[in-house]
Every structure is written in C-alpha cells, then in structure tokens.
Amino acid sequence: MNIVAGTLSMSPLKRDKCPEWNSWSQLIISTDEGAFAYIVNYFMYVLWALLFAFLAVSLVKVFAPYACGSGIPEIKTILSGFIIRGYLGKWTLVIKTITLVLAVSSGLSLGKEGPLVHVACCCGNILCHCFNKYRKNEAKRREVLSAAAAAGVSVAFGAPIGGVLFSLEEVSYYFPLKTLWRSFFAALVAAFTLRSINPFGNSRLVLFYVEFHTPWHLFELVPFILLGIFGGLWGALFIRTNIAWCRKRKTTQLGKYPVIEVLVVTAITAILAFPNEYTRMSTSELISELFNDYGLLDSSKLCDYENRFNTSKGGELPDRPAGVGVYSAMWQLALTLILKIVITIFTFGMKIPSGLFIPSMAVGAIAGRLLGVGMEQLAYYHQEWTVFNSWCSQGADCITPGLYAMVGAAACLGGVTRMTVSLVVIMFELTGGLEYIVPLMAAAMTSKWVADALGREGIYDAHIRLNGYPFLEAKEEFAHKTLAMDVMKPRRNDPLLTVLTQDSMTVEDVETIISETTYSGFPVVVSRESQRLVGFVLRRDLIISIENARKKQDGVVSTSIIYFTEHSPPLPPYTPPTLKLRNILDLSPFTVTDLTPMEIVVDIFRKLGLRQCLVTHNGRLLGIITKKDVLKHIAQMANQDPDSILFN
C-alpha cells in the first residue's frame, strides 16, 4: 500500500466512513481548511516520501546491493545457467522485502510485481539448500526457481495461471513438461494462501476486479488497435530512454551517488504529484478507479455525468453526457499521463526495488480512459453517424470507458515487456473480464508488432545487455553455416589451451596456473603429448580442495603430486604424500567435435544452460567454447563488433 498517498488522498466519502480519520493539518494546526493547512499537508507528504525513499536506498546500499531493481533480468540470466553468487541469498531476501514496502510507500512511480518474483526466487533458492537433491544439482534448482517465479506472479497479481505462463514465456530458459505442472502447483498454493489472507479486503483473489455490463462491439476494435499502437510506441520510447539514462548512470559520476539520485527523483515526484489527486493516490488505486465503470464510483469525478438517467425512458437506460467533473478529471488525467511517462523513465533502474508492471499499466489505463470517454461522448452527441446508429440506440449504454482503460493497460505493458499469451491471461485473471479476451489479444499483438518494428528487445533483455550478462536469447534462431572449430579457443596462432594432466603435476604447478589465469575451470588430459581428454575440473573446487588438503592432510606440500586417476602408483620412500582429486573431476563434460555445426552448438547452449563446451577430434582435446564466445560469434555474424559486447 502506498502509505504516503494513502495518508493524504482518501476521498471525502471514505473519510466520512472513518470517524477516527485525521489529516496532518488537523493533527498539527487543528484545521483542514485554508492555504496554511494545504501547505502543512503538502510538506508532510514530501517529508514522508523522502524519509521512506532514504530508508529504502540506505538499506539496499549498506546491506544488500543486489536487492535493487526489478530482479527479473537477473533471474532470467540465472535460469540460463549463469551464476550470480549472493543474488538469491538470505540478506537479499530480507532487505528486498523490507525496502520494497518502503519504496512503494514513498509514492515513486514503481510497482511491486517484478521484485516479488525476485523475492519468491530467493525463497525457492534458500529452500533448495535444505535438500541435497536440489543443493547439488543445478538443473533441478533451476526447475524450482521457475516454479518460484510463477508463484511470485501469482501472489503479485492474484493470477496463478498467468504466473505459470509468465514463467514459461518470459522468465524461464528451459521449461520441460514436469516443470510446468510443478509451477502450476506452486502457483496454486500461492493463490490459495493469498486468498486465505485476503489482503485486498474484498474477498476476491484478483487485484482489479471489474464488472462491465455492456458487451463490446466489432467497430471498437479500431480504437483498441489504436491503443495497441500507442502501447507499442510507449514501450519502444520507454526502453530507449530508460536504457540511455541507465547507461549514463553507469558511465558517469551519477552512479556513485545512488542515495542522492533516489532522493532527488523522490522529491521531484512528490512535489509534482501532490497537487493532482490522481498522481497523489497510489498507482494501484488509480488503476482500479480507471478500470471501473462510472456507476460503481459515485464519489469520483469520473462519475460526474449530467442527467445520469433518462427520465423520459423511465430511468432504465443510462444517458451519459459528461459533466464538469468529467472534463476536470480528463485534464488532470492528461497531466498525470505526462508525469507518469516522464518520471517512470528515471525511476526504473534506481538503487531501490522497482517493478515496471504497475507503472506501465497506469500509463495505458490513463490513455485508455481518455480515449474511452472521448468515444463515449462521440457516440452520445453523434448517435446518427453510421458507425454508431447500427448498434448504439439513443440513450443506451454503448461505450464502456473502463474497458478502454483495461485494454490500454494491457497494450502498454505488452509494449514494454513484449509479452503476449501470458499478458492476456494475467489481464483477464487480474480483472475477471473473461468476455474481453479478443480486445486484449488485439491490443497486445498490435503493441508487440509496433514495438518490435522500433526495437527487437523488451525491457528485461535490454537491461541484460546493458549489465553485460552472458545471456543467449532463446527466441532467436541461428542460421549461419559455421562450425565449432571456427569459434573455439585457442584459434590459430593463439597460445595453447591451459590444461591439467591427470598424474604428473604438483600442487605448486596447479597453484601457479590458478594464480596466472582467471578461467572458471580447466580440462584434464592424460598427458600434454597425447591431449586425450579425461574430464573437467572447476577452478573453485580445485582451490577449496587444495586449501583443505594443506590444512587437514598430513604431509601435503608444494611438491606433492596431484592425481585425477582412480589409483595412484606406489611411491618411492621419502616422497611427500599425493593429493587425490578424482572426486571433484567431472568425468563426462559436454563435448562436441570440431565439425559440429554452430547451429547445433548454440541450441545445446540454450537448451542445457551450459557455460562451456569442450571441442574434441577422435577423443583428442582441441579447444573450448564458452557462452561468451558464442555470444561474440553471434554478434560477428550480425555484422557487429564482437569486442563491443561487454561482460560485467
């Protein structure tokens, strides 16, 4: 709940229902009237916003730097096989949970849905450490994280089926059938728990329940498609401007002062938001008001219609010429739209938990409501037009502005994230508007086509590339006729591949190789002459094993021989004890031949989430291909500079 907005933006109707309600001006100067009371409320609004934002950014900076942002780009990267140590740890979970409440309460233009996916994945990762089956198997752990992502969306929106589809379409890298039903079960339990707690206080699971009484007409697909075009344009604009701002933050002095940046953006947001009641209220409350039909919101200015019921027809059919309140609300909503568009660009990506679902939906809902009211008044005053007189009788309730808001929200969210199937399912679960799937589908597909025409990447993929994560896009095909030998290292005239031998290297030799290189692992061969592959050992396991042997195993010194074989030969007297490390050796590393087409190699990296793959010829080790090598090769094939791809 937005505490700042909720404290100061309750409508008079709601306030009358709570006799204990007092504004800040009533508490401080005992009156709610006059300019000074307005200034007091204004000052307290900005003060509380700054306080909450300061606490959020300070906790993130000091205790858990990984708790900032949405978390979905990193979750996608982790599910693709890349390890970000500590990103799903206990401290990240605790700090993100606390600071998410503070960030949303500060009134900033951000949402909680993306961060809740990160929180759910943290819970899943911590639970994995309690069971050997998942702690020691990275593939099974990724299945748990996929299910956790589905549960996170289920909790955030009250949309269990949409959560499963979101994990399948947007987050997960590899989604086998058994993961599908496990994700479904996790989302079901999450939704059941949410329903038991009843956080929205309305005995419903969904966040924005709507109840439209008017079916949509075929002609309305035209404005729905227009909303889809707007959503695609907004998505492309937001991604380009937000990435440009985030790149500026990373490459300039601005990135060194995250606390100041958050406080400045919070202050600007609060100062501009307070005078307008639609920016002052929480974003979820705003969307809920925009989605609902006017008959359900008697206290809102959006319901201020003249001659609400046509008495000449017995009061049966609503007659809806807009009143002064509606026109006033339209101006305020137009200003709200401009503020949301601009301020969200600078908010997303700051060093606080910040989701993008709710702000994107708010932009689309405002645009949709504006268009819906415009269509409604057009139909009322020009009922004789051909497009209206065939299906809209005089005085009938023809146009539903709330439906336009719902379609606009889906269009803008689709333009930013490029979701399609999961987006439509989330939207009809979110609102209960099962009858309006076709308008939602039309808007979602139009927004995706328009946004893809202006830029192929969604916001999460763009942030993955900005942050330099080695991520292979699973949706794009590799159609070039290159071979594994064209990509592997070492290339011709390069130094030889760094390898370990199975029975002829001392502890000192291995420690020297470790200190002089930064590789994450080393192939193990029979001998340097034969180069026959035995297995692959990870750098981290090698370092830990040698350190433990020096501390706990008597007689192990720098001249001790390291054996990766099952049995070591008898040693001459006075020879230091050997160090057997076969237990840390991967005896079946993934290998391809030098003539394997790169199309297959890329598919293997995508499907299995590999970090490296060894290249052999008749069992003889030739080289290694890493995920970074594959990404650079794809860039080279696309006529890009492969050295321009940064991995941070």
Coordinates of all heavy atoms in Angstrom, one line a residue, residues 67-128:
A67 N 19.6 -6.2 -3.9 CA 18.2 -6.0 -3.7 C 17.5 -4.9 -4.5 O 16.3 -4.7 -4.4 CB 17.9 -5.7 -2.2
C68 N 18.3 -4.2 -5.3 CA 17.8 -3.1 -6.1 C 17.1 -3.6 -7.4 O 17.3 -4.7 -7.8 CB 18.9 -2.1 -6.4 SG 20.1 -2.7 -7.5
G69 N 16.4 -2.7 -8.0 CA 15.8 -3.0 -9.3 C 14.7 -4.0 -9.3 O 14.1 -4.4 -8.3
S70 N 14.4 -4.5 -10.5 CA 13.3 -5.5 -10.6 C 13.7 -6.9 -10.2 O 13.0 -7.6 -9.5 CB 12.8 -5.4 -12.1 OG 11.9 -6.5 -12.3
G71 N 14.8 -7.3 -10.7 CA 15.3 -8.7 -10.4 C 15.0 -9.7 -11.6 O 15.6 -10.7 -11.7
I72 N 14.0 -9.3 -12.4 CA 13.7 -10.3 -13.5 C 14.8 -10.5 -14.5 O 15.1 -11.6 -14.9 CB 12.4 -9.8 -14.2 CG1 11.2 -10.0 -13.2 CG2 12.1 -10.7 -15.4 CD1 9.9 -9.6 -13.7
P73 N 15.6 -9.4 -14.9 CA 16.7 -9.7 -15.8 C 17.7 -10.6 -15.3 O 18.2 -11.5 -15.9 CB 17.3 -8.3 -16.1 CG 16.2 -7.3 -15.8 CD 15.3 -8.0 -14.7
E74 N 18.0 -10.5 -14.0 CA 19.0 -11.4 -13.3 C 18.4 -12.8 -13.2 O 19.2 -13.8 -13.3 CB 19.4 -10.8 -12.0 CG 20.3 -9.6 -12.0 CD 19.5 -8.3 -12.4 OE1 18.3 -8.3 -12.4 OE2 20.1 -7.3 -12.7
I75 N 17.1 -12.9 -12.8 CA 16.5 -14.2 -12.7 C 16.6 -14.9 -14.1 O 16.9 -16.1 -14.1 CB 15.1 -14.1 -12.3 CG1 15.0 -13.5 -10.9 CG2 14.4 -15.5 -12.2 CD1 15.6 -14.2 -9.8
K76 N 16.3 -14.2 -15.2 CA 16.4 -14.8 -16.5 C 17.8 -15.3 -16.8 O 18.0 -16.4 -17.3 CB 16.0 -13.8 -17.6 CG 14.5 -13.5 -17.6 CD 14.2 -12.6 -18.7 CE 14.3 -13.2 -20.1 NZ 13.8 -12.4 -21.2
T77 N 18.8 -14.5 -16.4 CA 20.2 -14.9 -16.6 C 20.6 -16.1 -15.8 O 21.3 -17.0 -16.3 CB 21.1 -13.7 -16.3 OG1 20.7 -12.5 -17.0 CG2 22.5 -14.0 -16.7
I78 N 20.2 -16.1 -14.5 CA 20.5 -17.3 -13.6 C 19.8 -18.6 -14.2 O 20.5 -19.6 -14.2 CB 20.0 -17.0 -12.2 CG1 20.9 -15.9 -11.6 CG2 20.0 -18.3 -11.4 CD1 20.3 -15.4 -10.2
L79 N 18.6 -18.5 -14.7 CA 17.9 -19.6 -15.2 C 18.5 -20.1 -16.5 O 18.3 -21.2 -17.0 CB 16.4 -19.3 -15.4 CG 15.6 -19.2 -14.1 CD1 14.2 -18.8 -14.4 CD2 15.6 -20.6 -13.4
S80 N 19.3 -19.2 -17.2 CA 20.0 -19.6 -18.4 C 21.3 -20.3 -18.1 O 22.0 -20.8 -19.1 CB 20.3 -18.4 -19.3 OG 21.4 -17.6 -18.7
G81 N 21.7 -20.5 -16.8 CA 22.9 -21.2 -16.5 C 24.0 -20.4 -15.9 O 25.1 -20.9 -15.5
F82 N 23.9 -19.1 -15.8 CA 24.9 -18.2 -15.3 C 24.7 -18.0 -13.8 O 23.6 -18.0 -13.3 CB 24.8 -16.8 -16.0 CG 26.0 -15.9 -15.6 CD1 27.3 -16.2 -16.0 CD2 25.7 -14.7 -14.9 CE1 28.3 -15.3 -15.6 CE2 26.7 -13.9 -14.5 CZ 28.0 -14.2 -14.9
I83 N 25.8 -18.0 -13.0 CA 25.7 -18.0 -11.6 C 26.0 -16.6 -11.1 O 27.1 -16.0 -11.4 CB 26.7 -19.0 -10.9 CG1 26.2 -20.4 -11.3 CG2 26.6 -18.8 -9.4 CD1 27.2 -21.5 -10.8
I84 N 25.1 -15.9 -10.4 CA 25.4 -14.7 -9.7 C 25.3 -14.9 -8.2 O 24.3 -15.0 -7.6 CB 24.3 -13.6 -10.1 CG1 24.2 -13.5 -11.6 CG2 24.7 -12.2 -9.5 CD1 23.2 -12.5 -12.1
R85 N 26.5 -15.1 -7.6 CA 26.6 -15.5 -6.2 C 26.0 -14.5 -5.3 O 26.4 -13.3 -5.4 CB 28.0 -15.9 -5.8 CG 28.6 -17.0 -6.7 CD 29.8 -17.6 -6.1 NE 30.4 -18.6 -7.0 CZ 29.9 -19.8 -7.1 NH1 28.9 -20.2 -6.4 NH2 30.5 -20.7 -8.0
G86 N 25.1 -14.9 -4.4 CA 24.5 -14.0 -3.4 C 23.3 -13.3 -3.9 O 22.6 -12.6 -3.1
Y87 N 22.9 -13.4 -5.2 CA 21.8 -12.7 -5.7 C 20.5 -13.3 -5.2 O 19.5 -12.6 -5.0 CB 21.8 -12.7 -7.2 CG 20.8 -11.7 -7.8 CD1 21.2 -10.4 -7.9 CD2 19.5 -12.1 -8.2 CE1 20.3 -9.4 -8.4 CE2 18.6 -11.1 -8.7 CZ 19.0 -9.8 -8.8 OH 18.2 -8.8 -9.2
L88 N 20.5 -14.5 -4.8 CA 19.3 -15.2 -4.3 C 19.5 -15.6 -2.8 O 18.9 -16.6 -2.3 CB 18.9 -16.4 -5.1 CG 18.6 -16.1 -6.6 CD1 18.3 -17.4 -7.3 CD2 17.4 -15.2 -6.7
G89 N 20.3 -14.8 -2.1 CA 20.7 -15.2 -0.7 C 19.7 -14.7 0.3 O 18.7 -14.0 0.0
K90 N 20.0 -15.0 1.6 CA 19.1 -14.6 2.7 C 19.1 -13.1 2.9 O 18.0 -12.5 3.1 CB 19.6 -15.3 4.0 CG 19.5 -16.8 3.9 CD 19.9 -17.5 5.2 CE 21.4 -17.4 5.5 NZ 22.2 -18.3 4.5
W91 N 20.2 -12.4 2.8 CA 20.3 -11.0 3.1 C 19.5 -10.3 2.0 O 18.7 -9.3 2.2 CB 21.7 -10.5 3.1 CG 22.2 -10.4 4.5 CD1 23.3 -11.1 5.0 CD2 21.8 -9.6 5.6 NE1 23.5 -10.8 6.3 CE2 22.6 -9.8 6.7 CE3 20.8 -8.6 5.7 CZ2 22.4 -9.2 7.9 CZ3 20.6 -8.0 6.9 CH2 21.4 -8.3 8.0
T92 N 19.6 -10.7 0.7 CA 18.9 -10.1 -0.4 C 17.4 -10.3 -0.1 O 16.6 -9.3 -0.3 CB 19.3 -10.8 -1.7 OG1 20.7 -10.7 -1.9 CG2 18.6 -10.1 -2.9
L93 N 17.0 -11.4 0.3 CA 15.5 -11.7 0.6 C 15.0 -10.7 1.7 O 14.0 -10.1 1.5 CB 15.3 -13.1 1.0 CG 13.9 -13.5 1.6 CD1 12.9 -13.3 0.5 CD2 13.9 -14.9 2.1
V94 N 15.7 -10.6 2.8 CA 15.3 -9.8 3.9 C 15.2 -8.3 3.6 O 14.2 -7.7 3.8 CB 16.2 -10.0 5.2 CG1 15.8 -9.1 6.3 CG2 16.1 -11.5 5.7
I95 N 16.3 -7.8 3.0 CA 16.4 -6.4 2.6 C 15.4 -6.0 1.5 O 14.7 -5.0 1.6 CB 17.8 -6.0 2.3 CG1 18.8 -6.3 3.4 CG2 17.9 -4.6 1.8 CD1 18.4 -5.5 4.7
K96 N 15.3 -6.9 0.5 CA 14.3 -6.6 -0.6 C 12.9 -6.6 -0.1 O 12.1 -5.7 -0.5 CB 14.5 -7.6 -1.7 CG 13.7 -7.2 -3.0 CD 14.4 -7.4 -4.2 CE 13.8 -6.7 -5.4 NZ 14.6 -6.9 -6.6
T97 N 12.6 -7.5 0.9 CA 11.2 -7.5 1.4 C 10.9 -6.2 2.1 O 9.8 -5.6 2.0 CB 11.0 -8.7 2.3 OG1 11.4 -9.9 1.6 CG2 9.6 -8.8 2.9
I98 N 11.8 -5.7 3.0 CA 11.6 -4.5 3.7 C 11.6 -3.3 2.9 O 10.7 -2.4 2.9 CB 12.7 -4.4 4.8 CG1 12.6 -5.6 5.8 CG2 12.6 -3.1 5.6 CD1 13.8 -5.6 6.8
T99 N 12.6 -3.2 2.0 CA 12.8 -2.0 1.2 C 11.7 -1.9 0.1 O 11.4 -0.8 -0.4 CB 14.2 -1.9 0.5 OG1 14.4 -3.1 -0.2 CG2 15.2 -1.8 1.6
L100 N 11.1 -3.0 -0.3 CA 10.0 -2.9 -1.3 C 8.8 -2.2 -0.7 O 8.2 -1.4 -1.4 CB 9.7 -4.4 -1.7 CG 8.5 -4.5 -2.7 CD1 8.8 -3.7 -4.0 CD2 8.3 -6.0 -3.1
V101 N 8.5 -2.5 0.6 CA 7.4 -1.8 1.2 C 7.7 -0.3 1.3 O 6.9 0.5 1.0 CB 7.2 -2.4 2.6 CG1 6.1 -1.6 3.4 CG2 6.9 -3.9 2.6
L102 N 8.9 0.0 1.7 CA 9.3 1.4 1.8 C 9.3 2.2 0.5 O 8.8 3.3 0.3 CB 10.7 1.5 2.4 CG 10.9 1.0 3.9 CD1 12.3 1.0 4.3 CD2 10.1 1.9 4.8
A103 N 9.8 1.5 -0.6 CA 9.9 2.1 -1.9 C 8.5 2.4 -2.5 O 8.2 3.5 -3.0 CB 10.6 1.2 -2.9
V104 N 7.6 1.4 -2.3 CA 6.2 1.6 -2.8 C 5.5 2.7 -2.0 O 4.7 3.5 -2.5 CB 5.4 0.3 -2.8 CG1 3.9 0.5 -3.1 CG2 6.0 -0.7 -3.7
S105 N 5.8 2.7 -0.7 CA 5.1 3.7 0.2 C 5.6 5.1 -0.1 O 4.9 6.1 0.3 CB 5.4 3.3 1.7 OG 4.9 2.1 2.0
S106 N 6.8 5.3 -0.7 CA 7.3 6.6 -0.9 C 6.6 7.3 -2.0 O 6.8 8.5 -2.2 CB 8.8 6.5 -1.3 OG 9.0 5.9 -2.5
G107 N 5.7 6.7 -2.7 CA 5.0 7.3 -3.8 C 5.7 7.4 -5.1 O 5.2 8.0 -6.1
L108 N 6.8 6.7 -5.3 CA 7.6 6.7 -6.5 C 6.8 5.9 -7.6 O 5.9 5.1 -7.2 CB 8.9 6.1 -6.3 CG 10.0 7.0 -5.6 CD1 11.2 6.1 -5.2 CD2 10.4 8.1 -6.5
S109 N 7.1 6.2 -8.8 CA 6.4 5.6 -9.9 C 7.0 4.2 -10.2 O 7.8 4.0 -11.1 CB 6.4 6.4 -11.2 OG 5.7 5.8 -12.3
L110 N 6.7 3.3 -9.3 CA 7.2 1.9 -9.4 C 6.2 0.9 -8.9 O 5.2 1.3 -8.3 CB 8.5 1.8 -8.7 CG 8.6 2.3 -7.2 CD1 8.0 1.3 -6.2 CD2 10.1 2.6 -6.9
G111 N 6.4 -0.3 -9.2 CA 5.5 -1.4 -8.8 C 6.2 -2.4 -7.9 O 7.4 -2.4 -7.8
K112 N 5.4 -3.4 -7.4 CA 6.0 -4.4 -6.5 C 6.0 -5.8 -7.2 O 6.5 -6.7 -6.6 CB 5.2 -4.5 -5.3 CG 3.7 -4.9 -5.5 CD 2.9 -4.9 -4.2 CE 1.5 -5.3 -4.4 NZ 0.7 -4.5 -5.3
E113 N 5.5 -5.9 -8.4 CA 5.3 -7.2 -9.0 C 6.6 -7.9 -9.4 O 6.8 -9.0 -9.1 CB 4.3 -7.1 -10.2 CG 2.9 -6.9 -9.8 CD 2.6 -5.5 -9.2 OE1 3.4 -4.6 -9.5 OE2 1.7 -5.4 -8.3
G114 N 7.4 -7.1 -10.2 CA 8.8 -7.7 -10.5 C 9.6 -8.1 -9.3 O 10.1 -9.2 -9.3
P115 N 9.8 -7.2 -8.4 CA 10.5 -7.5 -7.1 C 9.9 -8.7 -6.4 O 10.7 -9.5 -5.8 CB 10.4 -6.2 -6.3 CG 10.3 -5.1 -7.3 CD 9.5 -5.7 -8.4
L116 N 8.6 -8.9 -6.4 CA 8.0 -10.1 -5.8 C 8.4 -11.4 -6.4 O 8.5 -12.4 -5.8 CB 6.5 -10.0 -5.7 CG 5.9 -9.1 -4.6 CD1 4.4 -9.0 -4.7 CD2 6.3 -9.6 -3.3
V117 N 8.7 -11.4 -7.8 CA 9.3 -12.5 -8.4 C 10.6 -12.8 -7.9 O 11.0 -14.0 -7.6 CB 9.3 -12.3 -10.0 CG1 10.0 -13.5 -10.7 CG2 7.9 -12.2 -10.5
H118 N 11.5 -11.8 -7.7 CA 12.8 -11.9 -7.1 C 12.7 -12.5 -5.7 O 13.4 -13.4 -5.3 CB 13.5 -10.6 -7.1 CG 14.9 -10.7 -6.7 ND1 15.7 -9.5 -6.4 CD2 15.7 -11.7 -6.4 CE1 16.9 -9.9 -6.0 NE2 16.9 -11.2 -6.0
V119 N 11.8 -12.0 -4.9 CA 11.6 -12.4 -3.5 C 11.2 -13.9 -3.5 O 11.7 -14.7 -2.7 CB 10.5 -11.6 -2.8 CG1 10.1 -12.2 -1.5 CG2 11.1 -10.2 -2.6
A120 N 10.3 -14.3 -4.4 CA 9.9 -15.7 -4.5 C 11.0 -16.6 -4.9 O 11.2 -17.7 -4.3 CB 8.7 -15.9 -5.5
C121 N 11.9 -16.2 -5.8 CA 13.0 -17.0 -6.2 C 14.0 -17.1 -5.1 O 14.7 -18.1 -5.0 CB 13.6 -16.4 -7.5 SG 12.6 -16.6 -9.0
C122 N 14.2 -16.0 -4.3 CA 15.1 -16.1 -3.1 C 14.6 -17.2 -2.2 O 15.4 -18.0 -1.7 CB 15.1 -14.8 -2.4 SG 16.1 -13.5 -3.3
C123 N 13.3 -17.2 -1.9 CA 12.7 -18.2 -1.1 C 12.9 -19.6 -1.6 O 13.3 -20.6 -0.9 CB 11.2 -18.0 -0.9 SG 10.8 -16.5 0.0
G124 N 12.7 -19.8 -2.9 CA 13.0 -21.1 -3.6 C 14.4 -21.5 -3.5 O 14.7 -22.7 -3.2
N125 N 15.3 -20.6 -3.7 CA 16.8 -20.9 -3.6 C 17.2 -21.3 -2.2 O 18.0 -22.2 -2.0 CB 17.6 -19.7 -4.1 CG 19.1 -20.0 -4.1 OD1 19.5 -20.8 -4.9 ND2 19.8 -19.3 -3.3
I126 N 16.7 -20.6 -1.2 CA 17.0 -20.9 0.2 C 16.5 -22.3 0.6 O 17.1 -23.1 1.2 CB 16.5 -19.8 1.1 CG1 17.3 -18.5 0.9 CG2 16.6 -20.2 2.6 CD1 16.6 -17.3 1.5
L127 N 15.3 -22.6 0.1 CA 14.7 -23.9 0.4 C 15.5 -25.0 -0.3 O 15.6 -26.1 0.2 CB 13.2 -24.0 -0.1 CG 12.2 -23.2 0.8 CD1 10.8 -23.2 0.1 CD2 12.1 -23.9 2.2
C128 N 16.1 -24.7 -1.5 CA 16.9 -25.7 -2.2 C 18.1 -26.2 -1.4 O 18.5 -27.3 -1.4 CB 17.4 -25.2 -3.5 SG 16.1 -25.2 -4.8

